Amino acid sequence: MNVNLFFLFLLVITNYSLRAQEDLFAELEIEAPQEELLLPSRMVFTQKFLWGEKGLFRKAGISSLNIEQREKELKVRRSMLKVHQIIGYLTLAGMLTQGFLGGKLYNNWERGLYRTHKTVGNLTTLSYFTGAGLSLFSPPPLTNKKYKGLNSIKAHKYLASIHFSAMVATGIYKNRNKKIHKYSAYTAVGSFAAAVLVFKF
């Protein structure tokens, strides 16, 4: 792939994804009616562990469960999700760069290229799991509204389970099996790119 074409593609994807930002937060942070409880009935296990009624932060007295504190938590949540989204774009850029470098390395071994591939890979892995942590450990929304059928939030979550598994497999097999490493990396890139773009549709 031509390098200029690659970076043009990356620029278009980033610009397109940035325009979808407000759609993302409109979907993820649904306003709850006044009579709603302070916590949603359904939470991700990490949120329940930290932010649930009997969660670690409640028991330790770090964050008590009341209206004022929940308002602060929702601001923290929004900030964490914004950073999660920005890191997502950087991770996607790193993944696409890795695909480009990995393809060249797979066909023509070079020590310098291998070192670059390894460095970019380590940085991409770090950014990926940092972004995942920001999503998993953010305070829960006021409510988790149930939708019938498939929507952008459900698709994003389904794709997340695929790219998370693929990223773990990519790391495990990088020094064990080049073929599995290659295909798990392609799976991670494809599902991650789809997860980034899915909020626009």
Side-chain angles (χ1 to χ4, degrees), residues 32 36 39 41 64 76 96 104 106 112 120 136 144 159 171 187 191:
E36 279 281 348
L39 291 170
S41 56
S64 53
V76 169
L96 292 172
K104 288 189 77 171
Y106 200 78
V120 174
L136 288 170
N144 274 331
L159 288 164
T187 303
S191 54

Side-chain angles (χ1 to χ4, degrees), residues 167-185:
M167 280 295 289
V168 171
T170 302
I172 290 171
Y173 289 101
K174 68 181 177 182
N175 295 320
R176 295 183 187 181
N177 188 313
K178 285 184 181 179
K179 201 167 189 179
I180 295 175
H181 172 75
K182 178 183 173 182
Y183 290 125
S184 59

Side-chain angles (χ1 to χ4, degrees), residues 110-143:
E110 292 176 30
R111 185 170 291 279
L113 189 59
Y114 172 75
R115 282 198 297 267
T116 304
H117 179 71
K118 187 175 180 180
T119 301
V120 174
N122 289 337
L123 290 171
T124 302
T125 301
L126 177 65
S127 69
Y128 176 85
F129 286 105
T130 301
L134 286 166
S135 175
L136 288 170
F137 297 108
S138 67
L142 282 178
T143 182

Side-chain angles (χ1 to χ4, degrees), residues 47-115:
Q47 291 175 334
K48 193 169 186 178
F49 173 74
L50 293 176
W51 305 97
E53 193 175 343
K54 296 179 181 177
L56 182 64
F57 289 164
R58 310 296 181 207
K59 287 182 176 178
I62 296 170
S63 185
S64 53
L65 188 57
N66 56 54
I67 293 171
E68 293 79 14
Q69 192 59 36
R70 282 296 284 141
E71 286 175 355
K72 290 177 185 176
E73 287 173 17
L74 291 173
K75 288 178 184 175
V76 169
R77 173 182 169 78
R78 186 171 179 86
S79 297
M80 288 177 78
L81 291 178
K82 276 188 178 180
V83 176
H84 163 78
Q85 192 175 32
I86 292 164
I87 288 176
Y89 302 144
L90 294 173
T91 302
L92 181 58
M95 286 179 167
L96 292 172
T97 304
Q98 274 297 83
F100 177 73
L101 293 172
K104 288 189 77 171
L105 189 61
Y106 200 78
N107 295 320
N108 184 24
W109 172 264
E110 292 176 30
R111 185 170 291 279
L113 189 59
Y114 172 75
R115 282 198 297 267

Side-chain angles (χ1 to χ4, degrees), residues 143-197:
T143 182
N144 274 331
K145 189 176 178 181
K146 277 192 175 183
Y147 292 96
K148 290 182 180 179
L150 185 67
N151 62 27
S152 57
I153 293 176
K154 284 183 183 177
H156 187 77
K157 288 179 181 177
Y158 294 150
L159 288 164
S161 64
I162 295 169
H163 62 67
F164 187 88
S165 303
M167 280 295 289
V168 171
T170 302
I172 290 171
Y173 289 101
K174 68 181 177 182
N175 295 320
R176 295 183 187 181
N177 188 313
K178 285 184 181 179
K179 201 167 189 179
I180 295 175
H181 172 75
K182 178 183 173 182
Y183 290 125
S184 59
Y186 286 157
T187 303
V189 174
S191 54
F192 190 83
V196 169
L197 294 174

